[in-house]
Short mmCIF file of all heavy atoms in Angstrom, two decimals:
data_model
loop_
_atom_site.label_atom_id
_atom_site.label_comp_id
_atom_site.label_asym_id
_atom_site.label_seq_id
_atom_site.Cartn_x
_atom_site.Cartn_y
_atom_site.Cartn_z
N ALA A 1 -31.42 -63.56 58.15
CA ALA A 1 -32.34 -63.32 59.26
C ALA A 1 -32.95 -61.94 59.08
O ALA A 1 -32.30 -61.00 58.63
CB ALA A 1 -31.60 -63.40 60.58
N VAL A 2 -34.22 -61.84 59.44
CA VAL A 2 -34.95 -60.59 59.32
C VAL A 2 -35.61 -60.29 60.66
O VAL A 2 -36.16 -61.18 61.30
CB VAL A 2 -36.04 -60.68 58.22
CG1 VAL A 2 -36.81 -59.38 58.10
CG2 VAL A 2 -35.43 -61.06 56.88
N SER A 3 -35.54 -59.03 61.08
CA SER A 3 -36.21 -58.63 62.32
C SER A 3 -37.09 -57.42 62.04
O SER A 3 -36.77 -56.57 61.23
CB SER A 3 -35.20 -58.31 63.41
OG SER A 3 -34.45 -57.17 63.08
N LEU A 4 -38.20 -57.39 62.74
CA LEU A 4 -39.16 -56.29 62.64
C LEU A 4 -39.45 -55.78 64.04
O LEU A 4 -39.72 -56.58 64.95
CB LEU A 4 -40.47 -56.77 61.99
CG LEU A 4 -41.60 -55.75 61.94
CD1 LEU A 4 -41.26 -54.63 60.96
CD2 LEU A 4 -42.91 -56.41 61.56
N VAL A 5 -39.39 -54.47 64.22
CA VAL A 5 -39.70 -53.84 65.50
C VAL A 5 -40.74 -52.75 65.23
O VAL A 5 -40.56 -51.93 64.32
CB VAL A 5 -38.44 -53.23 66.16
CG1 VAL A 5 -38.81 -52.51 67.45
CG2 VAL A 5 -37.40 -54.31 66.43
N VAL A 6 -41.82 -52.74 66.03
CA VAL A 6 -42.85 -51.71 65.94
C VAL A 6 -42.84 -50.94 67.26
O VAL A 6 -42.88 -51.54 68.33
CB VAL A 6 -44.25 -52.32 65.69
CG1 VAL A 6 -45.31 -51.24 65.64
CG2 VAL A 6 -44.26 -53.14 64.41
N ARG A 7 -42.77 -49.61 67.14
CA ARG A 7 -42.75 -48.75 68.33
C ARG A 7 -43.91 -47.77 68.29
O ARG A 7 -44.30 -47.31 67.21
CB ARG A 7 -41.44 -47.97 68.39
CG ARG A 7 -40.23 -48.85 68.65
CD ARG A 7 -38.95 -48.00 68.76
NE ARG A 7 -37.82 -48.81 69.12
CZ ARG A 7 -37.07 -49.49 68.26
NH1 ARG A 7 -37.36 -49.44 66.98
NH2 ARG A 7 -36.06 -50.22 68.69
N ASN A 8 -44.41 -47.42 69.48
CA ASN A 8 -45.47 -46.41 69.55
C ASN A 8 -44.86 -45.01 69.48
O ASN A 8 -43.64 -44.86 69.36
CB ASN A 8 -46.34 -46.60 70.81
CG ASN A 8 -45.56 -46.44 72.09
OD1 ASN A 8 -44.46 -45.89 72.15
ND2 ASN A 8 -46.14 -46.94 73.17
N ALA A 9 -45.70 -43.98 69.57
CA ALA A 9 -45.23 -42.60 69.43
C ALA A 9 -44.24 -42.21 70.52
O ALA A 9 -43.40 -41.34 70.32
CB ALA A 9 -46.42 -41.64 69.43
N ALA A 10 -44.29 -42.88 71.68
CA ALA A 10 -43.35 -42.59 72.77
C ALA A 10 -42.02 -43.31 72.57
O ALA A 10 -41.09 -43.09 73.35
CB ALA A 10 -43.97 -43.00 74.10
N GLY A 11 -41.93 -44.17 71.54
CA GLY A 11 -40.69 -44.89 71.27
C GLY A 11 -40.60 -46.24 71.96
O GLY A 11 -39.59 -46.94 71.86
N THR A 12 -41.66 -46.64 72.63
CA THR A 12 -41.69 -47.94 73.32
C THR A 12 -41.99 -49.05 72.32
O THR A 12 -42.92 -48.94 71.53
CB THR A 12 -42.77 -47.93 74.42
OG1 THR A 12 -42.51 -46.84 75.31
CG2 THR A 12 -42.79 -49.24 75.18
N THR A 13 -41.23 -50.11 72.36
CA THR A 13 -41.47 -51.26 71.49
C THR A 13 -42.76 -51.95 71.92
O THR A 13 -42.91 -52.34 73.08
CB THR A 13 -40.30 -52.25 71.55
OG1 THR A 13 -39.11 -51.60 71.08
CG2 THR A 13 -40.57 -53.48 70.70
N VAL A 14 -43.70 -52.08 70.98
CA VAL A 14 -44.96 -52.76 71.26
C VAL A 14 -45.00 -54.15 70.65
O VAL A 14 -45.77 -55.00 71.08
CB VAL A 14 -46.19 -51.94 70.80
CG1 VAL A 14 -46.29 -50.64 71.58
CG2 VAL A 14 -46.17 -51.68 69.32
N ARG A 15 -44.16 -54.38 69.66
CA ARG A 15 -44.11 -55.70 69.02
C ARG A 15 -42.76 -55.87 68.33
O ARG A 15 -42.25 -54.94 67.70
CB ARG A 15 -45.22 -55.83 68.00
CG ARG A 15 -45.34 -57.15 67.31
CD ARG A 15 -45.86 -58.18 68.25
NE ARG A 15 -46.11 -59.41 67.50
CZ ARG A 15 -46.40 -60.54 68.06
NH1 ARG A 15 -46.50 -60.63 69.36
NH2 ARG A 15 -46.61 -61.61 67.34
N SER A 16 -42.20 -57.06 68.45
CA SER A 16 -40.98 -57.37 67.71
C SER A 16 -41.05 -58.84 67.30
O SER A 16 -41.70 -59.65 67.96
CB SER A 16 -39.74 -57.10 68.57
OG SER A 16 -39.73 -57.91 69.71
N ALA A 17 -40.40 -59.13 66.20
CA ALA A 17 -40.40 -60.50 65.69
C ALA A 17 -39.15 -60.70 64.84
O ALA A 17 -38.63 -59.75 64.25
CB ALA A 17 -41.65 -60.76 64.86
N SER A 18 -38.69 -61.93 64.78
CA SER A 18 -37.56 -62.30 63.93
C SER A 18 -37.90 -63.58 63.20
O SER A 18 -38.63 -64.43 63.72
CB SER A 18 -36.30 -62.52 64.76
OG SER A 18 -35.90 -61.34 65.38
N ILE A 19 -37.37 -63.70 62.00
CA ILE A 19 -37.62 -64.89 61.19
C ILE A 19 -36.43 -65.11 60.28
O ILE A 19 -35.74 -64.16 59.91
CB ILE A 19 -38.94 -64.73 60.39
CG1 ILE A 19 -39.37 -66.06 59.81
CG2 ILE A 19 -38.82 -63.68 59.34
CD1 ILE A 19 -40.80 -66.05 59.28
N SER A 20 -36.18 -66.36 59.93
CA SER A 20 -35.09 -66.70 59.01
C SER A 20 -35.66 -67.41 57.81
O SER A 20 -36.71 -68.05 57.88
CB SER A 20 -34.07 -67.60 59.70
OG SER A 20 -33.45 -66.94 60.77
N GLY A 21 -34.97 -67.30 56.70
CA GLY A 21 -35.38 -67.98 55.48
C GLY A 21 -35.01 -67.15 54.27
O GLY A 21 -34.62 -65.99 54.38
N ASP A 22 -35.11 -67.76 53.10
CA ASP A 22 -34.77 -67.06 51.86
C ASP A 22 -35.83 -66.01 51.53
O ASP A 22 -35.52 -64.93 51.05
CB ASP A 22 -34.65 -68.05 50.70
CG ASP A 22 -33.45 -68.96 50.86
OD1 ASP A 22 -32.49 -68.56 51.55
OD2 ASP A 22 -33.48 -70.07 50.31
N ILE A 23 -37.08 -66.34 51.74
CA ILE A 23 -38.18 -65.40 51.51
C ILE A 23 -39.01 -65.39 52.79
O ILE A 23 -39.46 -66.44 53.25
CB ILE A 23 -39.05 -65.82 50.32
CG1 ILE A 23 -38.21 -65.83 49.05
CG2 ILE A 23 -40.26 -64.91 50.18
CD1 ILE A 23 -38.94 -66.37 47.84
N VAL A 24 -39.19 -64.23 53.37
CA VAL A 24 -39.92 -64.14 54.63
C VAL A 24 -41.10 -63.21 54.49
O VAL A 24 -41.12 -62.33 53.64
CB VAL A 24 -39.01 -63.67 55.79
CG1 VAL A 24 -37.88 -64.66 56.00
CG2 VAL A 24 -38.46 -62.30 55.53
N ARG A 25 -42.08 -63.41 55.37
CA ARG A 25 -43.28 -62.57 55.37
C ARG A 25 -43.70 -62.35 56.82
O ARG A 25 -43.73 -63.28 57.62
CB ARG A 25 -44.40 -63.28 54.62
CG ARG A 25 -45.66 -62.48 54.57
CD ARG A 25 -46.74 -63.24 53.84
NE ARG A 25 -47.99 -62.88 54.49
CZ ARG A 25 -48.97 -63.70 54.70
NH1 ARG A 25 -48.88 -64.94 54.32
NH2 ARG A 25 -50.05 -63.30 55.30
N PHE A 26 -44.00 -61.11 57.13
CA PHE A 26 -44.52 -60.77 58.45
C PHE A 26 -45.97 -60.36 58.31
O PHE A 26 -46.34 -59.67 57.37
CB PHE A 26 -43.76 -59.58 59.05
CG PHE A 26 -42.39 -59.91 59.56
CD1 PHE A 26 -41.27 -59.59 58.82
CD2 PHE A 26 -42.23 -60.54 60.79
CE1 PHE A 26 -40.00 -59.88 59.29
CE2 PHE A 26 -40.97 -60.84 61.26
CZ PHE A 26 -39.85 -60.51 60.51
N ASP A 27 -46.78 -60.76 59.25
CA ASP A 27 -48.12 -60.19 59.38
C ASP A 27 -48.32 -59.88 60.85
O ASP A 27 -47.66 -60.45 61.72
CB ASP A 27 -49.21 -61.09 58.81
CG ASP A 27 -49.26 -62.45 59.48
OD1 ASP A 27 -48.46 -62.72 60.38
OD2 ASP A 27 -50.11 -63.26 59.09
N TRP A 28 -49.18 -58.93 61.13
CA TRP A 28 -49.36 -58.46 62.50
C TRP A 28 -50.83 -58.26 62.76
O TRP A 28 -51.53 -57.61 61.98
CB TRP A 28 -48.56 -57.18 62.71
CG TRP A 28 -48.59 -56.63 64.08
CD1 TRP A 28 -48.57 -57.32 65.25
CD2 TRP A 28 -48.66 -55.25 64.44
NE1 TRP A 28 -48.60 -56.46 66.31
CE2 TRP A 28 -48.66 -55.18 65.85
CE3 TRP A 28 -48.71 -54.06 63.72
CZ2 TRP A 28 -48.71 -53.98 66.54
CZ3 TRP A 28 -48.76 -52.88 64.40
CH2 TRP A 28 -48.75 -52.83 65.80
N ASP A 29 -51.30 -58.79 63.87
CA ASP A 29 -52.71 -58.69 64.24
C ASP A 29 -53.02 -57.47 65.11
O ASP A 29 -54.08 -57.40 65.74
CB ASP A 29 -53.17 -59.96 64.96
CG ASP A 29 -52.36 -60.23 66.22
OD1 ASP A 29 -51.48 -59.42 66.58
OD2 ASP A 29 -52.60 -61.28 66.85
N LEU A 30 -52.12 -56.49 65.12
CA LEU A 30 -52.25 -55.25 65.89
C LEU A 30 -52.30 -55.50 67.40
O LEU A 30 -52.87 -54.74 68.16
CB LEU A 30 -53.48 -54.44 65.46
CG LEU A 30 -53.46 -53.97 64.01
CD1 LEU A 30 -54.74 -53.20 63.69
CD2 LEU A 30 -52.25 -53.13 63.71
N ARG A 31 -51.64 -56.56 67.83
CA ARG A 31 -51.53 -56.87 69.25
C ARG A 31 -50.10 -56.70 69.71
O ARG A 31 -49.16 -56.91 68.95
CB ARG A 31 -52.01 -58.30 69.54
CG ARG A 31 -53.49 -58.47 69.24
CD ARG A 31 -54.02 -59.82 69.70
NE ARG A 31 -55.43 -59.94 69.40
CZ ARG A 31 -56.39 -59.50 70.19
NH1 ARG A 31 -56.11 -58.89 71.31
NH2 ARG A 31 -57.66 -59.65 69.85
N THR A 32 -49.95 -56.30 70.97
CA THR A 32 -48.62 -56.17 71.55
C THR A 32 -48.03 -57.55 71.76
O THR A 32 -48.71 -58.57 71.61
CB THR A 32 -48.69 -55.46 72.92
OG1 THR A 32 -49.41 -56.31 73.83
CG2 THR A 32 -49.37 -54.10 72.82
N SER A 33 -46.77 -57.58 72.14
CA SER A 33 -46.14 -58.86 72.45
C SER A 33 -46.86 -59.57 73.59
O SER A 33 -46.82 -60.79 73.69
CB SER A 33 -44.66 -58.65 72.79
OG SER A 33 -43.97 -58.14 71.67
N GLY A 34 -47.55 -58.80 74.45
CA GLY A 34 -48.31 -59.37 75.57
C GLY A 34 -49.72 -59.81 75.19
O GLY A 34 -50.43 -60.37 76.01
N GLY A 35 -50.15 -59.53 73.96
CA GLY A 35 -51.46 -59.99 73.49
C GLY A 35 -52.56 -58.96 73.49
O GLY A 35 -53.67 -59.23 73.02
N ALA A 36 -52.32 -57.77 74.03
CA ALA A 36 -53.35 -56.73 74.06
C ALA A 36 -53.38 -55.97 72.73
O ALA A 36 -52.35 -55.79 72.09
CB ALA A 36 -53.07 -55.74 75.19
N LEU A 37 -54.57 -55.54 72.31
CA LEU A 37 -54.67 -54.71 71.11
C LEU A 37 -53.98 -53.37 71.35
O LEU A 37 -54.11 -52.79 72.43
CB LEU A 37 -56.13 -54.45 70.74
CG LEU A 37 -56.86 -55.59 70.03
CD1 LEU A 37 -58.34 -55.26 69.91
CD2 LEU A 37 -56.25 -55.86 68.68
N VAL A 38 -53.24 -52.90 70.36
CA VAL A 38 -52.59 -51.59 70.52
C VAL A 38 -53.65 -50.50 70.43
O VAL A 38 -54.64 -50.64 69.71
CB VAL A 38 -51.49 -51.35 69.46
CG1 VAL A 38 -50.38 -52.37 69.59
CG2 VAL A 38 -52.04 -51.35 68.06
N PRO A 39 -53.48 -49.42 71.16
CA PRO A 39 -54.44 -48.32 71.08
C PRO A 39 -54.26 -47.53 69.78
O PRO A 39 -53.21 -47.61 69.13
CB PRO A 39 -54.12 -47.46 72.30
CG PRO A 39 -52.70 -47.76 72.62
CD PRO A 39 -52.46 -49.18 72.18
N ASP A 40 -55.28 -46.77 69.42
CA ASP A 40 -55.18 -45.87 68.28
C ASP A 40 -53.98 -44.95 68.48
O ASP A 40 -53.67 -44.55 69.61
CB ASP A 40 -56.44 -45.02 68.14
CG ASP A 40 -57.64 -45.82 67.67
OD1 ASP A 40 -57.50 -47.02 67.42
OD2 ASP A 40 -58.72 -45.22 67.56
N GLY A 41 -53.33 -44.61 67.39
CA GLY A 41 -52.20 -43.69 67.47
C GLY A 41 -51.20 -43.93 66.37
O GLY A 41 -51.41 -44.73 65.46
N ASP A 42 -50.11 -43.21 66.45
CA ASP A 42 -49.04 -43.29 65.45
C ASP A 42 -47.99 -44.29 65.89
O ASP A 42 -47.63 -44.36 67.07
CB ASP A 42 -48.41 -41.91 65.25
CG ASP A 42 -49.39 -40.91 64.69
OD1 ASP A 42 -50.25 -41.32 63.88
OD2 ASP A 42 -49.31 -39.72 65.04
N TYR A 43 -47.47 -45.03 64.91
CA TYR A 43 -46.48 -46.06 65.16
C TYR A 43 -45.38 -45.98 64.09
O TYR A 43 -45.62 -45.49 62.99
CB TYR A 43 -47.12 -47.45 65.13
CG TYR A 43 -48.08 -47.66 66.27
CD1 TYR A 43 -49.40 -47.21 66.19
CD2 TYR A 43 -47.67 -48.26 67.44
CE1 TYR A 43 -50.28 -47.37 67.23
CE2 TYR A 43 -48.54 -48.42 68.51
CZ TYR A 43 -49.84 -47.97 68.40
OH TYR A 43 -50.69 -48.12 69.44
N ALA A 44 -44.22 -46.47 64.45
CA ALA A 44 -43.10 -46.54 63.51
C ALA A 44 -42.58 -47.97 63.49
O ALA A 44 -42.64 -48.68 64.49
CB ALA A 44 -41.99 -45.58 63.95
N TRP A 45 -42.09 -48.39 62.35
CA TRP A 45 -41.52 -49.73 62.23
C TRP A 45 -40.11 -49.67 61.67
O TRP A 45 -39.76 -48.76 60.93
CB TRP A 45 -42.40 -50.64 61.37
CG TRP A 45 -42.68 -50.12 59.98
CD1 TRP A 45 -43.75 -49.39 59.60
CD2 TRP A 45 -41.87 -50.29 58.81
NE1 TRP A 45 -43.67 -49.09 58.26
CE2 TRP A 45 -42.52 -49.63 57.75
CE3 TRP A 45 -40.68 -50.93 58.54
CZ2 TRP A 45 -42.01 -49.61 56.46
CZ3 TRP A 45 -40.16 -50.91 57.25
CH2 TRP A 45 -40.83 -50.26 56.23
N THR A 46 -39.31 -50.64 62.06
CA THR A 46 -37.96 -50.81 61.53
C THR A 46 -37.80 -52.27 61.13
O THR A 46 -38.07 -53.17 61.92
CB THR A 46 -36.90 -50.45 62.59
OG1 THR A 46 -37.11 -49.10 63.01
CG2 THR A 46 -35.50 -50.59 62.03
N LEU A 47 -37.36 -52.48 59.92
CA LEU A 47 -37.11 -53.81 59.39
C LEU A 47 -35.63 -53.93 59.06
O LEU A 47 -35.08 -53.06 58.37
CB LEU A 47 -37.95 -54.03 58.12
CG LEU A 47 -37.83 -55.39 57.46
CD1 LEU A 47 -38.61 -56.41 58.27
CD2 LEU A 47 -38.35 -55.33 56.04
N ARG A 48 -34.98 -54.95 59.60
CA ARG A 48 -33.56 -55.19 59.32
C ARG A 48 -33.41 -56.58 58.75
O ARG A 48 -33.97 -57.54 59.29
CB ARG A 48 -32.74 -55.06 60.61
CG ARG A 48 -32.62 -53.66 61.10
CD ARG A 48 -31.62 -53.56 62.26
NE ARG A 48 -31.42 -52.17 62.62
CZ ARG A 48 -32.16 -51.51 63.51
NH1 ARG A 48 -33.14 -52.12 64.12
NH2 ARG A 48 -31.92 -50.25 63.78
N ALA A 49 -32.64 -56.67 57.66
CA ALA A 49 -32.42 -57.96 57.02
C ALA A 49 -30.95 -58.16 56.72
O ALA A 49 -30.26 -57.23 56.30
CB ALA A 49 -33.23 -58.03 55.73
N ARG A 50 -30.49 -59.37 56.96
CA ARG A 50 -29.10 -59.73 56.67
C ARG A 50 -29.11 -61.10 56.01
O ARG A 50 -29.75 -62.02 56.50
CB ARG A 50 -28.27 -59.74 57.94
CG ARG A 50 -26.82 -60.04 57.67
CD ARG A 50 -26.00 -59.90 58.94
NE ARG A 50 -24.61 -60.01 58.61
CZ ARG A 50 -23.78 -58.98 58.49
NH1 ARG A 50 -24.22 -57.76 58.72
NH2 ARG A 50 -22.53 -59.17 58.17
N ASP A 51 -28.38 -61.22 54.91
CA ASP A 51 -28.35 -62.51 54.23
C ASP A 51 -27.19 -63.37 54.75
O ASP A 51 -26.35 -62.92 55.51
CB ASP A 51 -28.27 -62.32 52.71
CG ASP A 51 -27.01 -61.64 52.24
OD1 ASP A 51 -25.96 -61.75 52.92
OD2 ASP A 51 -27.04 -60.99 51.19
N SER A 52 -27.19 -64.62 54.33
CA SER A 52 -26.17 -65.55 54.81
C SER A 52 -24.87 -65.47 54.02
O SER A 52 -23.93 -66.18 54.32
CB SER A 52 -26.72 -66.98 54.75
OG SER A 52 -27.10 -67.30 53.42
N TRP A 53 -24.78 -64.55 53.05
CA TRP A 53 -23.56 -64.41 52.26
C TRP A 53 -22.64 -63.33 52.81
O TRP A 53 -21.60 -63.06 52.24
CB TRP A 53 -23.90 -64.10 50.80
CG TRP A 53 -24.64 -65.22 50.15
CD1 TRP A 53 -24.13 -66.39 49.71
CD2 TRP A 53 -26.03 -65.27 49.91
NE1 TRP A 53 -25.12 -67.18 49.21
CE2 TRP A 53 -26.30 -66.52 49.31
CE3 TRP A 53 -27.09 -64.40 50.15
CZ2 TRP A 53 -27.59 -66.92 48.93
CZ3 TRP A 53 -28.36 -64.80 49.78
CH2 TRP A 53 -28.59 -66.03 49.18
N GLY A 54 -23.04 -62.68 53.88
CA GLY A 54 -22.18 -61.68 54.51
C GLY A 54 -22.33 -60.27 53.97
O GLY A 54 -21.50 -59.41 54.27
N ASN A 55 -23.35 -60.02 53.18
CA ASN A 55 -23.59 -58.66 52.70
C ASN A 55 -24.01 -57.76 53.86
O ASN A 55 -24.45 -58.24 54.92
CB ASN A 55 -24.67 -58.65 51.62
CG ASN A 55 -24.20 -59.34 50.36
OD1 ASN A 55 -23.13 -59.03 49.85
ND2 ASN A 55 -24.98 -60.28 49.88
N ALA A 56 -23.89 -56.47 53.67
CA ALA A 56 -24.27 -55.51 54.70
C ALA A 56 -25.75 -55.64 55.04
O ALA A 56 -26.57 -55.98 54.19
CB ALA A 56 -23.96 -54.09 54.24
N THR A 57 -26.09 -55.36 56.28
CA THR A 57 -27.48 -55.39 56.73
C THR A 57 -28.27 -54.29 56.02
O THR A 57 -27.82 -53.15 55.93
CB THR A 57 -27.55 -55.18 58.25
OG1 THR A 57 -26.84 -56.24 58.88
CG2 THR A 57 -28.99 -55.16 58.74
N ALA A 58 -29.43 -54.64 55.53
CA ALA A 58 -30.34 -53.67 54.91
C ALA A 58 -31.37 -53.26 55.96
O ALA A 58 -31.94 -54.11 56.64
CB ALA A 58 -31.03 -54.28 53.70
N THR A 59 -31.59 -51.96 56.10
CA THR A 59 -32.54 -51.44 57.08
C THR A 59 -33.55 -50.54 56.37
O THR A 59 -33.18 -49.70 55.57
CB THR A 59 -31.82 -50.63 58.18
OG1 THR A 59 -30.86 -51.47 58.81
CG2 THR A 59 -32.80 -50.10 59.21
N ARG A 60 -34.81 -50.74 56.67
CA ARG A 60 -35.88 -49.90 56.15
C ARG A 60 -36.75 -49.47 57.33
O ARG A 60 -36.93 -50.22 58.29
CB ARG A 60 -36.74 -50.64 55.13
CG ARG A 60 -35.99 -51.07 53.87
CD ARG A 60 -35.55 -49.86 53.07
NE ARG A 60 -34.82 -50.24 51.87
CZ ARG A 60 -33.51 -50.31 51.76
NH1 ARG A 60 -32.75 -50.04 52.80
NH2 ARG A 60 -32.94 -50.64 50.63
N THR A 61 -37.32 -48.27 57.23
CA THR A 61 -38.18 -47.76 58.28
C THR A 61 -39.44 -47.16 57.66
O THR A 61 -39.46 -46.83 56.47
CB THR A 61 -37.47 -46.68 59.11
OG1 THR A 61 -37.10 -45.60 58.25
CG2 THR A 61 -36.24 -47.22 59.81
N GLY A 62 -40.45 -47.02 58.47
CA GLY A 62 -41.69 -46.40 58.01
C GLY A 62 -42.58 -46.09 59.19
O GLY A 62 -42.23 -46.34 60.34
N SER A 63 -43.75 -45.56 58.89
CA SER A 63 -44.69 -45.23 59.95
C SER A 63 -46.11 -45.47 59.46
O SER A 63 -46.36 -45.57 58.26
CB SER A 63 -44.52 -43.77 60.39
OG SER A 63 -44.78 -42.91 59.30
N PHE A 64 -47.02 -45.57 60.41
CA PHE A 64 -48.43 -45.78 60.09
C PHE A 64 -49.26 -45.32 61.28
O PHE A 64 -48.75 -45.10 62.37
CB PHE A 64 -48.72 -47.24 59.76
CG PHE A 64 -48.41 -48.20 60.87
CD1 PHE A 64 -49.41 -48.60 61.74
CD2 PHE A 64 -47.14 -48.70 61.05
CE1 PHE A 64 -49.14 -49.49 62.78
CE2 PHE A 64 -46.84 -49.59 62.07
CZ PHE A 64 -47.84 -49.99 62.94
N THR A 65 -50.55 -45.19 61.05
CA THR A 65 -51.49 -44.78 62.09
C THR A 65 -52.54 -45.86 62.26
O THR A 65 -53.09 -46.35 61.27
CB THR A 65 -52.17 -43.45 61.71
OG1 THR A 65 -51.18 -42.44 61.55
CG2 THR A 65 -53.17 -43.01 62.78
N VAL A 66 -52.80 -46.22 63.50
CA VAL A 66 -53.89 -47.13 63.82
C VAL A 66 -55.08 -46.28 64.23
O VAL A 66 -54.97 -45.42 65.10
CB VAL A 66 -53.50 -48.09 64.98
CG1 VAL A 66 -54.69 -48.92 65.43
CG2 VAL A 66 -52.35 -48.99 64.56
N ASP A 67 -56.21 -46.49 63.56
CA ASP A 67 -57.42 -45.73 63.85
C ASP A 67 -58.59 -46.70 63.81
O ASP A 67 -59.03 -47.11 62.74
CB ASP A 67 -57.60 -44.61 62.84
CG ASP A 67 -58.83 -43.76 63.11
OD1 ASP A 67 -59.58 -44.06 64.06
OD2 ASP A 67 -59.04 -42.78 62.38
N GLY A 68 -59.09 -47.06 64.95
CA GLY A 68 -60.19 -48.02 65.05
C GLY A 68 -61.57 -47.40 64.98
O GLY A 68 -62.56 -48.07 65.22
N THR A 69 -61.64 -46.11 64.62
CA THR A 69 -62.94 -45.44 64.52
C THR A 69 -63.73 -46.04 63.37
O THR A 69 -63.25 -46.07 62.24
CB THR A 69 -62.74 -43.93 64.27
OG1 THR A 69 -61.90 -43.39 65.28
CG2 THR A 69 -64.08 -43.21 64.25
N PRO A 70 -64.93 -46.53 63.64
CA PRO A 70 -65.74 -47.08 62.54
C PRO A 70 -66.07 -45.99 61.51
O PRO A 70 -66.30 -44.84 61.88
CB PRO A 70 -67.01 -47.57 63.22
CG PRO A 70 -66.68 -47.66 64.67
CD PRO A 70 -65.61 -46.64 64.92
N PRO A 71 -66.10 -46.35 60.24
CA PRO A 71 -66.44 -45.36 59.22
C PRO A 71 -67.91 -44.98 59.30
O PRO A 71 -68.75 -45.75 59.77
CB PRO A 71 -66.15 -46.08 57.90
CG PRO A 71 -66.22 -47.53 58.24
CD PRO A 71 -65.81 -47.65 59.68
N VAL A 72 -68.22 -43.78 58.85
CA VAL A 72 -69.60 -43.30 58.80
C VAL A 72 -69.95 -43.07 57.34
O VAL A 72 -69.21 -42.43 56.61
CB VAL A 72 -69.75 -41.98 59.59
CG1 VAL A 72 -71.16 -41.43 59.45
CG2 VAL A 72 -69.38 -42.19 61.04
N THR A 73 -71.07 -43.62 56.93
CA THR A 73 -71.50 -43.43 55.55
C THR A 73 -72.90 -42.83 55.55
O THR A 73 -73.67 -43.01 56.50
CB THR A 73 -71.53 -44.76 54.78
OG1 THR A 73 -72.43 -45.65 55.42
CG2 THR A 73 -70.15 -45.37 54.71
N ARG A 74 -73.22 -42.14 54.49
CA ARG A 74 -74.54 -41.55 54.34
C ARG A 74 -75.03 -41.84 52.93
O ARG A 74 -74.28 -41.68 51.97
CB ARG A 74 -74.49 -40.05 54.56
CG ARG A 74 -74.14 -39.69 55.97
CD ARG A 74 -74.14 -38.22 56.17
NE ARG A 74 -73.57 -37.96 57.49
CZ ARG A 74 -73.61 -36.82 58.09
NH1 ARG A 74 -74.18 -35.80 57.52
NH2 ARG A 74 -73.08 -36.67 59.28
N ALA A 75 -76.25 -42.22 52.83
CA ALA A 75 -76.84 -42.48 51.52
C ALA A 75 -77.93 -41.43 51.27
O ALA A 75 -78.69 -41.07 52.18
CB ALA A 75 -77.44 -43.87 51.46
N THR A 76 -77.99 -40.93 50.06
CA THR A 76 -79.05 -40.02 49.68
C THR A 76 -79.77 -40.57 48.46
O THR A 76 -79.19 -41.29 47.66
CB THR A 76 -78.49 -38.61 49.35
OG1 THR A 76 -77.53 -38.74 48.29
CG2 THR A 76 -77.82 -38.00 50.58
N THR A 77 -81.02 -40.22 48.36
CA THR A 77 -81.81 -40.68 47.23
C THR A 77 -81.77 -39.63 46.14
O THR A 77 -82.00 -38.45 46.39
CB THR A 77 -83.27 -40.92 47.66
OG1 THR A 77 -83.28 -41.64 48.89
CG2 THR A 77 -84.02 -41.71 46.63
N ALA A 78 -81.46 -40.06 44.95
CA ALA A 78 -81.43 -39.16 43.82
C ALA A 78 -82.67 -39.40 42.95
O ALA A 78 -83.08 -40.54 42.76
CB ALA A 78 -80.18 -39.36 43.00
N SER A 79 -83.21 -38.36 42.44
CA SER A 79 -84.37 -38.47 41.57
C SER A 79 -83.94 -38.95 40.20
O SER A 79 -82.93 -38.51 39.66
CB SER A 79 -85.08 -37.13 41.44
OG SER A 79 -86.11 -37.21 40.51
N THR A 80 -84.67 -39.88 39.63
CA THR A 80 -84.36 -40.36 38.29
C THR A 80 -85.36 -39.86 37.26
O THR A 80 -85.32 -40.22 36.10
CB THR A 80 -84.34 -41.91 38.26
OG1 THR A 80 -85.61 -42.40 38.70
CG2 THR A 80 -83.23 -42.45 39.15
N ALA A 81 -86.29 -39.02 37.70
CA ALA A 81 -87.33 -38.53 36.79
C ALA A 81 -86.86 -37.31 36.05
O ALA A 81 -86.01 -36.59 36.37
CB ALA A 81 -88.59 -38.21 37.56
#
């Protein structure tokens, strides 16, 4: 079984999920468990996995930033003469 928990900068859980299987994959649409889009900001995740053979639980953690600011690009014309 594998569980994933995502918390905001205040430590509040905004999304959690669990799945079982030999090979698992999580994807997240940046929505809370209630369906609202998460606001821009810093987030941390914790992934815990335990196999069916009784091995110790493996835990991994990380962080990321959500930034919905649209990118700004500028084009300039270069002379080829």
Side-chain angles (χ1 to χ4, degrees):
V2 179
S3 66
L4 174 70
V5 176
V6 178
R7 292 183 175 85
N8 62 18
T12 303
T13 298
V14 295
R15 183 72 173 171
S16 62
S18 295
I19 193 167
S20 296
D22 292 335
I23 298 174
V24 298
R25 180 181 146 218
F26 285 102
D27 59 0
W28 183 38
D29 59 3
L30 298 179
R31 295 188 180 275
T32 66
S33 296
L37 282 172
V38 297
D40 289 358
D42 296 325
Y43 293 84
W45 56 267
T46 302
L47 181 75
R48 288 189 174 89
R50 183 174 188 101
D51 64 28
S52 59
W53 296 283
N55 293 309
T57 299
T59 302
R60 297 293 180 264
T61 60
S63 61
F64 61 95
T65 300
V66 173
D67 182 357
T69 305
V72 176
T73 60
R74 294 182 190 192
T76 58
T77 314
S79 174
T80 58

